[in-house]
Amino acid sequence: MASLPRRPHHDGSALHVSDDRPSLGDEVAVRLRVPAGYGPLARVLVRSNPDHEPSWVEATPDGIVDGWGWWTAHVIVRNPRHGYRFHLVHDDGRVEVLNQGGLSDIDALDGQDFALVAGNPPPAWMDDTILYQIFPDRFARSAAADTRPAPAWAMPAEWHDPLDPVHPGRGRQFYGGDLDGAAERLDHLVDLGVTALYHTPVFPAESNHRYDASRFDAVDPLLGGDDAYRRLIEAAHERGIRVIGDLTTNHSGIAHDWFRAAYGSPDAPEGAFYYFRDDAHTEYETWLDAATLPKFDWTSDELRRRFIDGPDSVVGRWLRTPFGIDGWRIDVANMTGRLGAEDLNTEVRQTLRRTMTAIAPDTLLLAESTNDAATDLQGDAWHGGMTYPAFTRGVWSWLADPRRIPHYGYDGELTEDMWFFGLPTGMPRYDARQFVAQYERFTSQIPWRVQRGTMAALDTHDTARFATYAAPDAIPVAVGLSMTLPGIPVVYAGDEFGLEAVDGEMSRTPIPWETAGDPEVAGRIALYRDLIGLRRAHPVLADGGLRWLHVGESGVVFVREGASESVLVVASRGALDAEIDADLLPGLAAASDATPLYGAAGLTLEAALRITTTGTAFSAWALPGILAPAPRRPTAPATPAEAFVQVGSIPA
């Protein structure tokens, strides 16, 4: 199978963008790479859209290196999200447009333009992050947990008891995992190569998941209280592991002091914290149809003051000493502040981030937004998202198989229906082409910098486990993709133990620590350790550019590119035989220039680069870095009139 055609390329990496952390008014050089002989091109222009009025800047040709011609334009960042695209004018008058939506011979959508984000830079450590997610009740249990009686709401269980899939057991089964137990297992994370720990909520609640908080200013005594949380954070930081908390800004639980003060008391100050539908304050809006999760009304200034605004708020409390967490993941961020005609989401997220920046600017803010999150993920507050369509659902649809597994649901009914991210249509069946098409569709409207901060999870506490449905030999491929495509790799605790589960509730299995030495489990742990090691040993996999070289039915080949190194990756389901134009890989003069890093796929270089797999496989090679000519400036500065070339002046 032939490679993709030779075509111009730009992405948000350092090869093509001089500054991905600009401020308003800064000048940024944006560079286009064009294969030698492409066109030929008469001009390249960069079109921005400041204040929704098109603006044009001429690009300057910089020269040809290793078979690629480079063009540079200098743009002034005018808006917090400064979109731009390239217009390629051929000698014969044809015009092509390149933005994140792809290369096109028709005009492009502003929403898919490349984008510079001014302000709100992510923490410097974001690109180094390997995230490990735990569910505190099920991760680890210290000896101190035996001294704590189970609360009235709980249904106590022994660590190896099976999960109860039926309500009320799903939310009330209590295994007694605690934060000191988590601290005792941090060396496991170090062994894997993990750099950040994300935990689901630790606040007091009336459920095992604790998304129905009864207060936000203290840690649940069942987990060891504030002191245990401080000990966990200190122990993690001593090991170079950052800690990300989980906060529900969309709702509280009905046991929360604020809701108890508001319920039935219209004159209480807290009465403005929630959406009550009647004058008596006894009927209220909830998250979906969950009566235990009353929804916050963010028109309340007092709610903002207590919860998100300033150092004494809930958000601020856990960022300050003696805790000092390193960021927040916001639960149901997509629904926060939104109800019918009212939409305060932007105000809430920006206020929350301002508080974080004032106290601890080197912190990370992630938004749960499980479907198309493009309108929110523009970098004004969220550094990235916990979202599923681009990576997670695409990987499942390509590398997993539908299976009819009898299981009991919430209502106690036996069913064989497969859970698939809440989609009632079931899981689609994709080939590799469709996987890439979906990945590009759902990332095309998100700035590159925010893509790098978005979680690349195979599964989480809210999903079935990927291993339950993975095609034969597909787990290394899926894990490898999570480590080599842009985004924050995520390991959900238990995946490295080979755990399986048919839905999100059943994925919350206590970790079977005693099995770590079993050959099959040890092999899975080693797989995660090796692939995390690949990611960490090659920073270009975190911050480098991305080019697809081959996209076929059975597999893909792509390269992550940087100035000092590039990494070539192949992922296939089934056998793959791909021929790739060697000119697409600058610096690759011989097969020996490609150093094997992982896997056993074949790579030869004669007239073309040929990559082969005999079956489902994942492999990677180190390649030379990308050489580029120094960017040039126009011989004379553009006048204001020249900087605003009219659309009609471009040859059509």
Side-chain angles (χ1 to χ4, degrees), residues 1-7 68 547-552 555-559 561 567-571 576-586 588-589 591 594 601-613 619 621 623:
M1 294 183 182
S3 61
L4 293 172
R6 301 167 74 244
R7 57 189 180 189
W68 289 82
R547 277 195 304 130
W548 300 98
L549 302 178
H550 170 88
V551 178
V556 300
V557 181
F558 60 90
V559 64
E561 295 177 311
V567 173
L568 180 68
V569 176
V570 59
L576 173 72
D577 188 345
E579 283 194 356
I580 297 168
D581 184 348
D583 289 343
L584 291 173
L585 292 166
L588 189 64
L603 184 151
T604 59
L605 178 59
E606 295 176 0
L609 180 70
R610 186 179 182 190
I611 296 177
T612 57
T613 70
S619 289
W621 299 263
L623 302 180

Side-chain angles (χ1 to χ4, degrees), residues 4-19:
L4 293 172
R6 301 167 74 244
R7 57 189 180 189
H9 179 76
H10 175 84
D11 56 45
S13 68
L15 285 174
H16 304 94
V17 174
S18 64
D19 182 4

